[in-house]
Amino acid sequence: MSLSLPLTDISPLQFAFTPNPTPKSDAERAEILAAPGFGQFFTDHMVQIHWSERGGWHRAAVEPYAKISLDPAAAVLHYAQEIFEGLKAYRHADGSVWSFRPDQNGLRLQRSARRLALPELPLPVFLDSLKNLVQADAAWVPEGGETSLYLRPFMFASEAFLGVRAARKVYYFVIASPAGSYFKGGVQPVSIWLSTDYARAGHGGTGAAKTGGNYAASLLPQQEAYAEGCDQVLFLQDGNLEELGGMNLVLVKKDGTLVTPASDSILEGITRDSLLQLAEERGHAIERRPVSLAEWRDGVASGDIVEAFACGTAAVVNPIARLKAKDFTIELPELAEADSLAMSLRKELTDIQYGRIEDTHGWLYRLDAEGAR
């Protein structure tokens, strides 16, 4: 599947640019890029666009990274009307900078906005906001290994009022943070804690939207997972598997079939969908359907389920070693990397993202210069 946006479509907004008068020095930036971690340091600039009921989208700008000034009555602080996205900019060997399927992030942002009663940002404006920020802060895109520049678009209700209704004024921002390799010393299988006392989202709720409330709901059970010696938490809905606190789940059957839970409260993962498409192109059957906890447990016991992995933007793929619950543990077979379908798919996907193999799907979109492919 290629980009959803025709290359003839252009943003209806012109972005004003105000350079940061006190940017990080080359030495300071180099020190940060040598060990950036994840989400700890931020580039010199940010994008800001305003929306109002009467004026629509306006005042698009690339500005110095700075604190946001809000009225204490801003609706987001009281009614949590906000959404966000997450994607990466990758530096290729020739120095160019690309993103991966950003149109899908833009479309998902629109779906999230619809659910949270926020205005939908036009896709050309979304893509242009990424390009303008990356071009302003191109020196912040790291190179080597699996480093990247993490891009965080977000939107929230800025109107100052107290009353339960959709806000009539909204801010949209994009900030960027250099990210090091997610795994130090190679990809490591993780342990997952099964949350039975808490739910991430409910039927008809906001689970399919990328909104902060869903993540806030996962924080307490995530603490419980850490206390149990686990890395992530898995949620259930009516006895069926949902997703982790911030990643999708995929099971691999002995016959090569990939099964991923489906419900109206699961966030549609762009990384997950890309991995499943690559697998399908290899000839693997794909099943998107409700999956019960009993099916996973019985499948591992019978040998019908041989692998499980979590997937998302940050880690791409996390093999799952075990699922731990209060009264049982599911142990997945130990697989050598060469025998792991998850790791093979991970390599193919990251090779596309970093330009190491040809992008035959039209998934890459250039950010550092005009044009896309």
Side-chain angles (χ1 to χ4, degrees):
M1 181 179 178
S2 60
L3 290 174
S4 299
L5 178 70
L7 299 186
T8 53
D9 285 4
I10 58 174
S11 169
L13 298 180
Q14 295 296 316
F15 285 71
F17 176 59
T18 302
N20 192 324
T22 57
K24 292 286 191 299
S25 67
D26 291 347
E28 289 174 314
R29 187 175 60 250
E31 183 179 359
I32 291 172
L33 294 182
F38 187 87
Q40 299 178 35
F41 303 97
F42 298 92
T43 65
D44 295 313
H45 297 89
M46 64 184 186
V47 163
Q48 180 174 187
I49 308 177
H50 291 219
W51 179 89
S52 67
E53 189 174 61
R54 297 181 63 181
W57 292 103
H58 61 284
R59 290 178 59 184
V62 178
E63 304 172 336
Y65 185 93
K67 294 181 179 180
I68 299 172
S69 177
L70 281 179
D71 191 289
V76 65
L77 302 177
H78 304 273
Y79 310 112
Q81 196 184 6
E82 66 82 36
I83 56 175
F84 66 96
E85 268 301 323
L87 66 161
K88 293 178 178 179
Y90 308 89
R91 190 176 296 281
H92 288 189
D94 63 0
S96 60
V97 179
W98 302 77
S99 57
F100 179 76
R101 305 188 75 179
D103 59 321
Q104 297 304 306
N105 293 93
L107 293 173
R108 190 169 65 182
L109 187 76
Q110 291 180 344
R111 294 193 297 271
S112 296
R114 205 172 305 138
R115 180 62 185 85
L116 271 294
L118 288 162
E120 296 181 32
L121 185 72
L123 189 53
V125 178
F126 176 80
L127 294 174
D128 218 17
S129 71
L130 306 180
K131 292 179 69 174
N132 275 272
L133 181 57
V134 168
Q135 289 174 23
D137 286 336
W140 282 91
V141 184
E143 56 184 326
E146 289 191 5
T147 60
S148 60
L149 183 66
Y150 182 76
L151 304 174
R152 171 52 62 89
F154 60 102
M155 183 190 305
F156 61 86
S158 58
E159 183 185 1
F161 76 100
L162 298 180
V164 184
R165 63 163 172 80
R168 300 187 180 114
K169 293 182 180 179
V170 167
Y171 288 161
Y172 167 80
F173 286 86
V174 187
I175 57 176
S177 174
S181 297
Y182 191 86
F183 298 100
K184 304 300 182 184
V187 180
Q188 299 296 324
V190 295
S191 296
I192 306 298
W193 173 251
L194 179 67
S195 178
T196 55
D197 296 328
Y198 302 101
R200 171 187 166 274
H203 293 302
T206 61
K210 200 166 177 68
T211 181
N214 297 337
Y215 294 80
S218 74
L219 297 180
L220 180 59
Q222 180 64 60
Q223 289 181 333
E224 187 178 77
Y226 292 149
E228 294 291 338
C230 295
D231 307 284
Q232 284 277 348
V233 60
L234 173 67
F235 295 96
L236 297 176
Q237 184 73 258
D238 300 329
N240 290 331
L241 308 176
E242 283 278 292
E243 63 174 87
L244 280 67
M247 303 177 79
N248 292 121
L249 175 68
V250 179
L251 306 179
V252 182
K253 301 178 75 172
K254 182 171 58 178
D255 65 1
T257 300
L258 282 79
V259 182
T260 190
S263 84
D264 65 359
S265 55
I266 293 177
L267 181 71
E268 297 179 21
I270 297 165
T271 300
R272 179 202 60 182
D273 290 349
S274 303
L275 291 164
L276 294 180
Q277 183 171 336
L278 294 177
E280 189 171 30
E281 291 168 358
R282 296 184 185 187
H284 293 271
I286 307 298
E287 297 180 4
R288 302 168 184 263
R289 57 173 174 79
V291 183
S292 70
L293 174 62
E295 179 180 349
W296 187 3
R297 190 176 181 180
D298 294 345
V300 172
S302 69
D304 188 46
I305 294 177
V306 297
E307 197 170 356
F309 63 90
C311 50
T313 300
V316 186
V317 166
N318 246 146
I320 296 174
R322 66 187 53 82
L323 176 68
K324 183 179 178 183
K326 290 180 179 179
D327 54 356
F328 68 88
T329 299
I330 299 175
E331 295 280 352
L332 278 297
E334 290 187 24
L335 296 177
E337 184 171 330
D339 299 324
S340 168
L341 177 60
M343 293 304 295
S344 175
L345 291 171
R346 184 184 193 279
K347 183 179 187 306
E348 183 177 1
L349 185 63
T350 55
D351 281 349
I352 293 171
Q353 291 171 334
Y354 286 93
R356 295 188 287 260
I357 62 175
E358 183 183 0
D359 170 26
T360 61
H361 303 83
W363 284 344
L364 297 181
Y365 184 84
R366 189 163 185 173
L367 296 178
D368 67 316
E370 291 298 322
R373 89 173 179 206

